[in-house]
């Protein structure tokens, strides 16, 4: 089930909320667990078994690791738990890629593996892995109640598209939490804003991309519009989802950590990755980069560590060469910044360094958005005017004109300025602006609903991860 | 702050609860009057499986999503609100490819596909050579869609209509006369809310076409019958505010005495199906709407004079105006029937007059025809 679906918004969510607040406190976790399993099963019922069994693998691995005293045995239990937890991800997500590439070497001797990816497998696998490792490191208490652990993994606000919530973030709140009116209201606000970002901006930008792809000729202008639209779309899609997850969490008394911090205002690539998909960045930092030695080691080892992290980051996003090259692309950019270019960027005027960062992020997303590495490279060369493409055609110009206000609104909405403007107006006349803000939110909800009814284009980009 | 949060939570809860409650209380609608289509109905899993053998639970759940979308309370109002938001709020030039200019709704059709047009022409040539080579006056008339009159004026992308006409002229069998109707029609000859032309504006064109077919035409005193308000298919799909049309049909004792026979279903009825005015698309009044094969019989027509019309939906409203000049008109829509099957169901007169009557939008539409 999608958050941005009428089924979720007007049937599932009200039903769960009503039941949640009329049931005695002791029943609420049970309700959330049942609701989460129903939520997951709605899209692909058979994948629920994989999700639940992976969660139980992590639970048992945590239990075993926590019980053992001997460090070697604890380590063995943790490694076994990590390996077993990774099995579904490796099989369903990477099995096809691995067999395809082995077949290139062994001349098609292996049967190609074509499996449908279970929704959200990359997210919940990483959550479970973080728990098992944290238990080993004694950074989190072992969860003895399997239902609580399953609830952590399957909790519907963050189950299928993150953010990657660590067990320690919500362990206490699973057992004991309180939903105040103010917390619930802040959750409502955050949820509606996220829904608006997703439905009114990301979907509209996706529509622009789709129209350009289907109707315009392949021209330099069309490729640049596609690149810009996708760069904005993926931000509003994913950050909108994160906002909805955070908002829903608050409605049920949970506090999830932030996942985005206006990444398109970053002044360097280093800065960008501190502000984009923060829960994934910090996961790779804490569970891959630091264990490899991080930056506190020799120069070549640091380079090796970075290379591993960025290869894995690329591969996490998709089992295809264009994602791996996308990861390597960031490895190179970050290496250049580490070599001293970051200091140069820091001294440049903010608009220049922000433009520099946005430019490379946009270039990266051309590779990311392609169906293959060849297509990605071909699109990049087309954007540079290579390959004999025309500069523009009437369709690309028409859609640029038609969607220019949407692009401008999206560009503005990717900055903190609208929020700052609202806050400064509110400080002048708090009551009035609060009511205006409230009316704005409810209008946003109505328009979002209308758009969901009107539009059929409603994919979540991050589901494929 | 606390009070304002309370108000927000109450309003949010009310909106969230109002929808499911009103959904339960309101009866499901069978058809969308605005979108001219049947709406998804509530089905149990067993009913769904019976109607869709082999489809699993995941497909059923996806169907439920469609059902909720279709039966959402205030659906049409919300679609109109969203369309207004897109056009006037976001400054978009069209809403889901539909635009409004000079009071008319039209749909963008910017790409000319030479391959599609050529395939269609091959089909028509094959039909002509296989079944109607002895026709006395074979004619191919091309009807421009509304974009021809609107798109350039409004700065909307469009293809080169002359290139389409040239392509047809080059591909068409030389024995068939090609009659592009670009200059014989104007925007006012079309409904504002529908892609089709308005029958009451077509009497002159019908006389001219009869001349081209070598058939004598007499000036008839038609009676206008009006149905209003008429909102055509574009109105519902565009969801943009527009003044409704009048659906006018031209009646005459000759037409009242004529009969329409459907060889596919074996049903016989009148030329105008007034019972369909209350259905999904009132334009179905003309010859019963989308029909694969029809025979129109005029007991007052010149004995033995026959016409075969290979047509799309535009033909439905024009053909009644041609009927007084013929004893029988056979109407074939190759989008729904193959010539082989049509020939098996009706007696085709190879020496009849022959009119291919197609709109630019159908000729340029991929996969429009069955063979």
């Amino acid at each position: 089930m999608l958050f941005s679906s009428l089924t979720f918004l007007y049937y599932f969510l009200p039903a769960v909320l009503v039941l949640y607040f009329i049931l005695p406190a002791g029943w609420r976790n049970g309700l959330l667990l049942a609701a989460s399993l129903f939520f997951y099963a709605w899209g692909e019922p058979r994948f629920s078994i994989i999700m639940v069994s992976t969660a139980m693998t992590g639970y048992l691995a945590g239990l075993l690791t926590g019980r053992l005293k001997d460090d070697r045995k604890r380590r063995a239990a943790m490694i076994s738990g990590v390996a077993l937890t990774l099995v579904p991800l490796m099989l369903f997500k990477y099995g096809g890629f691995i067999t395809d590439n082995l077949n290139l070497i062994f001349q098609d001797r292996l049967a190609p593996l074509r499996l449908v990816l279970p929704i959200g497998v990359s997210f919940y696998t990483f959550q479970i892995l973080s728990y098992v490792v944290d238990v080993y490191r004694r950074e989190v208490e072992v969860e003895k109640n399997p239902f609580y652990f399953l609830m952590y993994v399957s909790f519907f606000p963050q189950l299928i598209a993150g953010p990657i919530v660590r067990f320690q973030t919500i362990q206490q709140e699973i057992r004991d939490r309180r939903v105040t009116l103010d917390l619930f209201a802040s959750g409502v606000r955050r949820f509606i804003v996220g829904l608006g970002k997703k439905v009114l901006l990301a979907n509209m930008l996706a529509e622009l991309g789709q129209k350009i792809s289907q109707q315009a000729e392949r021209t330099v202008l069309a490729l640049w519009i596609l690149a810009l639209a996708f760069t904005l779309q993926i931000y509003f899609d994913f950050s909108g989802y994160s906002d909805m997850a955070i908002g829903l969490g608050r409605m049920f008394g949970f506090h999830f950590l932030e996942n985005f911090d206006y990444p398109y205002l970053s002044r360097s690539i280093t800065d960008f990755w501190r502000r984009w998909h923060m829960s994934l960045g910090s996961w790779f930092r804490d569970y891959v980069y630091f264990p490899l030695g991080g930056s506190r080691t020799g120069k070549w080892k640091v380079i090796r560590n970075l290379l591993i992290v960025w290869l894995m980051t690329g591969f996490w996003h998709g089992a295809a060469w264009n994602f791996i090259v996308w990861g390597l692309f960031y490895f190179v950019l970050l290496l250049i910044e580490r070599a001293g270019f970051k200091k140069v960027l820091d001294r440049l005027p903010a608009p220049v360094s922000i433009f520099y960062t946005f430019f490379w992020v946009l270039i990266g997303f051309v590779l990311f958005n392609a169906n293959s590495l060849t297509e990605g490279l071909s699109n990049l060369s087309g954007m540079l005017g290579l390959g004999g493409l025309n500069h523009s055609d009437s369709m690309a110009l028409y859609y640029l004109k038609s969607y220019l206000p949407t692009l401008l609104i999206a560009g503005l909405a990717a900055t903190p300025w609208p929020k700052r403007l609202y806050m400064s107006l509110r400080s002048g006349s708090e009551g009035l602006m609060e009511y205006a803000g409230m009316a704005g939110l409810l209008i946003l909800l109505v328009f979002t609903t209308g758009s969901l009814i009107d539009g059929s284009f409603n994919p979540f980009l991050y589901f494929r991860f | 702050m606390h009070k304002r949060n309370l108000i927000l939570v109450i309003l949010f809860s009310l909106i969230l609860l109002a929808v499911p409650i009103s959904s339960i209380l309101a009866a499901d609608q069978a058809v969308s009057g605005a979108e001219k289509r049947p709406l998804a109905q509530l089905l149990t899993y067993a009913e769904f499986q019976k109607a869709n053998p082999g489809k699993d639970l995941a497909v059923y759940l996806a169907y439920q999503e469609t059902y909720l979308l279709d039966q959402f309370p205030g659906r049409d109002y919300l679609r109109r609100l969203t369309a207004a938001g897109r056009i006037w709020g976001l400054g978009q030039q069209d809403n889901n490819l539909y635009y409004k200019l000079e009071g008319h709704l039209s749909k963008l059709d910017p790409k000319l596909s030479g391959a599609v047009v050529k395939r269609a022409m091959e089909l028509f040539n094959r039909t002509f050579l296989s079944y109607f080579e002895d026709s006395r006056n074979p004619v191919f008339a091309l009807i421009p869609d509304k974009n021809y009159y609107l798109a350039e004026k409004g700065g909307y992308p469009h293809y080169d209509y002359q290139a389409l006409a040239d392509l047809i002229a080059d591909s068409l069998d030389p024995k068939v006369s090609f009659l592009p109707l670009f200059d014989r029609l104007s925007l006012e000859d079309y409904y504002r809310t529908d892609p089709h032309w308005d029958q009451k504006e077509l009497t002159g064109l019908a006389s001219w076409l009869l001349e081209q077919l070598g058939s004598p035409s007499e000036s008839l005193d038609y009676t206008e019958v009006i149905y209003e308000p008429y909102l055509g298919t574009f109105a519902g799909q565009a969801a943009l505010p527009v003044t409704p049309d009048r659906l006018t049909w031209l009646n005459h004792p000759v037409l009242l005495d004529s009969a329409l026979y459907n060889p596919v279903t074996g049903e016989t009825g009148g030329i105008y199906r007034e019972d369909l005015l209350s259905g999904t698309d009132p334009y179905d009044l003309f010859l019963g709407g989308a029909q694969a094969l029809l025979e129109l019989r005029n007991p007052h027509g010149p004995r033995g004079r026959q016409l075969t019309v290979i047509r799309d939906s535009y033909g439905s409203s024009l053909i009644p105006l041609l009927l007084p000049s013929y004893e029988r008109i056979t109407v074939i829509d190759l989008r729904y029937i193959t010539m082989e099957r049509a020939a098996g169901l009706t007696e085709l007169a190879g020496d009849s007059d022959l009119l291919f009557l197609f709109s630019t939008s159908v000729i340029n539409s991929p996969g429009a025809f069955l063979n």
Side-chain angles (χ1 to χ4, degrees), chain B residues 131-150:
Chain B
Y131 297 93
F132 302 104
E133 207 180 0
D134 297 333
S135 171
R136 285 180 301 144
N137 290 301
V139 163
F140 187 109
L142 179 70
I143 308 158
D145 63 76
K146 288 205 286 186
N147 278 320
Y148 175 76
Y149 303 101
L150 282 170

Side-chain angles (χ1 to χ4, degrees), chain B residues 255 257-263 269-272 286-288 291 293-299 305-307 309 311 315-316 318-324 326-332 346:
Chain B
L255 295 179
D257 288 345
S258 298
L260 182 143
Y261 170 65
N262 186 331
I271 303 298
Y272 297 119
F286 300 106
L287 309 187
Q291 301 293 341
L293 179 62
L294 296 169
E295 289 172 16
L296 279 68
R297 292 164 186 167
N298 171 12
R305 192 150 189 106
Q306 293 196 34
L307 168 69
V309 186
R311 58 92 183 214
S316 299
L318 179 78
I319 290 165
L321 305 182
L322 307 178
L323 186 57
Y326 290 95
E327 185 186 28
R328 173 179 150 159
I329 298 181
T330 306
V331 180
I332 303 167
T346 189

Side-chain angles (χ1 to χ4, degrees), chain A residues 188-312:
Chain A
V188 168
R189 282 192 193 90
R190 193 67 185 265
F191 177 76
I192 296 176
V193 167
L195 191 65
K197 280 163 94 172
K198 160 65 189 154
V199 176
L200 297 181
L201 290 174
N203 283 5
M204 205 79 86
L205 292 160
E207 196 182 275
L208 169 63
Q210 194 188 38
K211 284 176 176 172
I212 292 272
S213 303
Q214 289 174 356
Q215 293 174 37
E217 281 175 35
R218 195 179 139 81
T219 61
V220 175
L221 178 66
L223 290 172
W224 275 101
I225 297 172
L226 277 175
L228 180 62
F230 182 76
T231 302
L232 291 168
Q233 179 203 345
I234 195 167
Y235 169 67
F236 288 109
D237 192 291
F238 195 20
S239 75
Y241 194 96
S242 293
D243 285 340
M244 285 187 270
I246 291 167
L248 286 167
R250 286 182 195 167
M251 288 186 218
F252 295 105
F254 291 90
H255 294 78
F256 298 154
L257 300 179
E258 294 295 334
N259 211 19
F260 288 87
D261 181 21
Y262 303 107
Y264 290 159
L265 287 187
S266 303
R267 295 187 60 179
S268 64
I269 296 297
T270 313
D271 189 23
F272 173 78
W273 277 102
R274 285 187 192 126
R275 299 159 73 149
W276 174 276
H277 200 174
M278 289 142 77
S279 62
L280 181 73
S282 63
W283 195 98
F284 275 113
R285 183 195 64 207
D286 293 347
Y287 300 104
V288 180
Y289 187 64
F290 285 167
L292 286 169
S295 305
R296 292 179 188 172
T297 179
K299 188 170 74 175
W300 293 108
K301 279 195 173 171
V302 172
I303 294 172
R304 180 205 66 183
N305 297 347
L306 283 171
L307 178 64
I308 291 169
V309 165
W310 288 100
L311 274 174
M312 289 177 76

Side-chain angles (χ1 to χ4, degrees), chain A residues 323-358:
Chain A
F323 290 106
I324 294 172
V325 172
W326 178 74
L328 287 174
F329 165 83
Y330 277 110
F331 162 71
V332 172
L333 288 173
L334 289 165
L335 216 54
I336 292 168
E337 288 189 3
R338 272 182 167 258
F341 191 59
K342 176 139 189 335
K343 285 179 186 160
V344 177
L345 287 171
D346 289 343
R347 283 198 294 271
L348 287 172
V352 178
S353 53
I354 288 170
F355 177 80
Y356 162 85
T357 310
F358 186 77

Side-chain angles (χ1 to χ4, degrees), chain B residues 5-6 18 26 34 38 56 72 174 178 182 196 204 251 268 277 289 322 366:
Chain B
N5 280 341
L6 182 64
D56 63 10
F72 196 85
F178 177 47
F182 298 114
H196 294 109
N251 227 331
T268 303
L277 285 171
L322 307 178

Side-chain angles (χ1 to χ4, degrees), chain B residues 147-226:
Chain B
N147 278 320
Y148 175 76
Y149 303 101
L150 282 170
E152 190 149 349
K153 270 193 253 178
Y156 292 96
H158 59 89
Y159 57 77
D160 182 348
Y161 283 85
Q162 190 54 51
L164 170 63
D166 291 346
L167 193 57
I168 293 173
D170 291 345
S171 318
L172 192 62
D173 190 285
K175 287 180 204 142
V176 183
S177 309
F178 177 47
L179 306 174
L181 302 180
F182 298 114
D183 298 331
R184 299 223 155 247
L185 293 163
S186 66
L187 183 62
E188 289 67 40
D189 297 330
Y190 295 77
Y191 296 115
R192 283 188 297 271
T193 64
D194 197 78
H196 294 109
W197 51 15
D198 185 347
Q199 192 192 47
K200 77 171 190 304
E201 309 295 340
L202 300 181
T203 49
L205 180 73
S207 300
W208 181 77
L209 274 175
L210 285 167
E211 267 177 45
Q212 306 308 308
L213 288 162
S215 192
S217 74
E218 49 181 310
S219 179
L220 295 177
D221 216 3
Y222 288 109
T223 309
E224 287 191 2
V225 191
I226 294 168

Side-chain angles (χ1 to χ4, degrees), chain A residues 270-448:
Chain A
T270 313
D271 189 23
F272 173 78
W273 277 102
R274 285 187 192 126
R275 299 159 73 149
W276 174 276
H277 200 174
M278 289 142 77
S279 62
L280 181 73
S282 63
W283 195 98
F284 275 113
R285 183 195 64 207
D286 293 347
Y287 300 104
V288 180
Y289 187 64
F290 285 167
L292 286 169
S295 305
R296 292 179 188 172
T297 179
K299 188 170 74 175
W300 293 108
K301 279 195 173 171
V302 172
I303 294 172
R304 180 205 66 183
N305 297 347
L306 283 171
L307 178 64
I308 291 169
V309 165
W310 288 100
L311 274 174
M312 289 177 76
T313 302
F315 210 36
W316 182 88
H317 281 85
W321 285 107
N322 57 310
F323 290 106
I324 294 172
V325 172
W326 178 74
L328 287 174
F329 165 83
Y330 277 110
F331 162 71
V332 172
L333 288 173
L334 289 165
L335 216 54
I336 292 168
E337 288 189 3
R338 272 182 167 258
F341 191 59
K342 176 139 189 335
K343 285 179 186 160
V344 177
L345 287 171
D346 289 343
R347 283 198 294 271
L348 287 172
V352 178
S353 53
I354 288 170
F355 177 80
Y356 162 85
T357 310
F358 186 77
F359 174 79
W360 287 114
V361 168
L362 180 143
I363 295 295
F365 278 135
V366 174
L367 286 174
F368 188 99
N369 189 31
N371 292 313
S372 66
L373 182 58
T374 315
E375 185 188 305
L377 294 173
S378 159
N379 287 345
L380 283 176
S381 66
M383 287 165 71
L384 296 172
L386 305 174
L389 295 183
N390 290 329
H391 288 115
S392 69
D393 75 329
S394 60
M395 287 310 292
L397 284 168
Y398 170 75
Y399 280 121
L400 179 61
K401 187 180 159 200
S402 191
Y403 281 83
L404 192 59
T406 307
L407 288 167
L408 291 173
I409 291 169
L412 194 64
T415 72
W417 301 326
K419 190 176 174 182
R420 279 185 200 155
L421 178 68
Y422 173 74
M423 298 307 271
S424 73
L425 290 172
R426 206 179 71 161
S427 64
S429 54
E430 193 169 325
L432 185 69
M433 283 313 293
E434 272 285 333
Y435 284 114
M438 194 191 305
L441 281 173
L442 296 174
I443 290 168
L444 195 61
L445 183 61
V446 172
F447 269 98
T448 304

Side-chain angles (χ1 to χ4, degrees), chain A residues 48 109 140 149 170 227 243 276 296 341:
Chain A
S48 303
R109 286 191 193 158
V140 69
F149 188 74
I170 62 166
D243 285 340
W276 174 276
R296 292 179 188 172
F341 191 59

